[in-house]
């Protein structure tokens, strides 16, 4: 049997950790390869780890063809859905996969819309994408992504931030379980050099770095809240915020008076020119 391993497909899903791979190898040696490998033609789609272990030890295995695939995008979507349903996949990995799914579906919708709007030279509209290629439910909002990945919307926001701002070393630490999703999102707001230094220092420093970021965010918010407290202190003196508000109100009143005067001047000018006065809009 000729089986082709595509490096692109093999790398599309995060690889197993060393411990996970060792556990799978022990299971296959003890019980055999019970689940069939999924193929698309001769291309291996699902079961790369099992296939490698079976090849290493000469273990027998079964294969099954998925005849519904019509493109590599179909393969990617199927792989994503398979892994989104697996409990062994981390929150971060599920979020990344759901975001990838959104991108694929959005690109597919764009292609379908472009195909429907274009016409052939003979006047016949081009055919849209096959129905089964657009059957997947679109992921329009963060809520849709969160539901697909079994996460909260806030976790999706954190994952998006990590993808955009986190240093590679921080992402690897998150995948390895050295830092939580929440802490990684906080540390990702630091300059890359500080992120790397925190990763090198270990778990405790990552926690402390995340704590410092949260405290730094909290201080301005608390200071802002403090300026909105009661306008008078214990001695009855008016606070600076009330003085500022009074000043702003005075400026608004002056501007309103100036505006009314200008309107009167415009009305008088129109009257001299014989134009009807403009109706007030209130």
């Amino acid at each position: 049997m000729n089986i082709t391993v595509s490096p692109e497909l093999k790398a599309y899903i995060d690889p197993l950790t060393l411990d996970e791979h060792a556990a799978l190898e022990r299971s296959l040696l003890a019980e055999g390869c019970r689940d069939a490998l999924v193929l698309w033609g001769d291309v291996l789609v699902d079961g790369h780890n099992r296939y490698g272990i079976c090849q290493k030890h000469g273990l027998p295995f079964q294969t099954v063809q998925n005849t519904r695939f019509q493109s590599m995008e179909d393969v990617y979507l199927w792989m994503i859905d398979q892994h989104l349903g697996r409990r062994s996949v981390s929150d971060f990995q599920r979020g990344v996969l759901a975001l990838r799914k959104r991108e694929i579906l959005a690109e597919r919708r764009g292609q379908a819309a472009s195909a429907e709007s274009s016409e052939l030279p003979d006047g016949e509209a081009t055919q849209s994408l096959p129905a089964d290629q657009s059957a997947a439910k679109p992921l329009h909002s963060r809520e849709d992504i969160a539901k697909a990945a079994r996460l909260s919307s806030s976790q999706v926001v954190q994952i998006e931030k990590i993808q955009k701002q986190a240093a590679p070393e921080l992402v690897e630490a998150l995948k390895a379980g050295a830092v939580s999703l929440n802490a990684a999102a906080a540390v990702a707001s630091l300059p890359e050099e500080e992120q790397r230094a925190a990763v090198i220092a270990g778990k405790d420093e990552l926690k402390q770095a995340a704590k410092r970021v949260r405290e730094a965010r909290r201080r301005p918010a608390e200071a802002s809240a403090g300026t909105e407290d009661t306008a008078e202190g214990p001695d009855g003196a008016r606070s600076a915020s009330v003085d500022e508000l009074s000043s702003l109100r005075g400026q608004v009143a002056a501007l309103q008076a100036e505006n009314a005067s200008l309107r009167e001047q415009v009305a008088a000018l129109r009257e001299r020119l014989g134009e009807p006065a403009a109706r007030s809009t209130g």
Side-chain angles (χ1 to χ4, degrees), residues 153-166:
S153 296
S154 61
Q155 287 176 308
V156 174
V157 172
Q158 291 171 345
I159 292 169
E160 288 179 311
K161 180 177 181 179
I162 291 168
Q163 285 189 304
K164 293 176 182 177
Q165 301 180 16

Side-chain angles (χ1 to χ4, degrees), residues 43-238:
V43 177
L44 181 60
V45 172
D46 185 60
H48 291 87
N49 293 296
R50 284 173 285 139
Y51 178 66
I53 294 171
C54 288
Q55 289 289 92
K56 176 183 176 181
H57 296 285
L59 301 175
F61 57 86
Q62 300 294 321
T63 63
V64 61
Q65 285 284 339
N66 190 321
T67 58
R68 293 176 296 173
F69 298 147
Q70 298 185 32
S71 68
M72 189 59 72
E73 289 180 345
D74 291 337
V75 175
Y76 289 147
L77 288 173
W78 184 88
M79 292 175 69
I80 289 172
D81 286 339
Q82 291 297 305
H83 282 76
L84 284 176
R86 291 174 179 171
R87 289 179 296 178
S88 59
V89 179
S90 70
D91 290 346
F92 177 69
Q93 289 174 317
R94 287 202 309 275
V96 169
L97 290 173
L99 289 169
R100 287 180 185 173
K101 182 175 182 178
R102 178 185 64 179
E103 293 174 1
I104 293 173
L105 294 178
E107 183 177 355
R108 176 164 288 178
R109 290 196 304 275
Q111 292 173 348
S114 177
E116 290 174 357
S117 63
S118 64
E119 291 186 353
L120 296 174
D122 60 3
E124 293 182 2
T126 57
Q127 294 181 348
S128 59
L129 294 175
D132 60 345
Q133 287 193 16
S134 57
K137 181 181 178 181
L139 303 179
H140 293 299
S141 64
R142 283 198 179 99
E143 288 72 21
D144 293 336
I145 298 169
K147 185 176 181 180
R150 291 179 284 121
L151 301 171
S152 67
S153 296
S154 61
Q155 287 176 308
V156 174
V157 172
Q158 291 171 345
I159 292 169
E160 288 179 311
K161 180 177 181 179
I162 291 168
Q163 285 189 304
K164 293 176 182 177
Q165 301 180 16
E169 294 84 351
L170 179 59
V171 174
E172 290 305 314
L174 174 58
K175 291 179 179 179
V179 61
S180 69
L181 179 62
N182 189 295
V187 176
S189 63
L190 297 172
E192 284 199 11
E193 289 303 320
E194 294 185 32
Q195 295 181 40
R196 294 190 181 98
V199 172
I200 293 172
K203 291 183 179 181
D204 290 341
E205 178 56 29
L206 283 168
K207 290 180 180 178
Q208 290 303 314
K211 182 179 179 180
R212 290 194 294 271
V213 170
R214 296 189 191 103
E215 290 177 347
R217 290 174 181 167
R218 192 179 301 120
R219 282 194 293 270
E222 291 174 348
S224 176
T227 62
E228 297 175 1
D229 286 341
T230 56
E232 295 188 5
D235 58 355
R238 298 184 63 82

Side-chain angles (χ1 to χ4, degrees), residues 238-248:
R238 298 184 63 82
S239 69
S241 61
V242 172
D243 292 339
E244 184 179 358
L245 180 59
S246 298
S247 176
L248 289 173

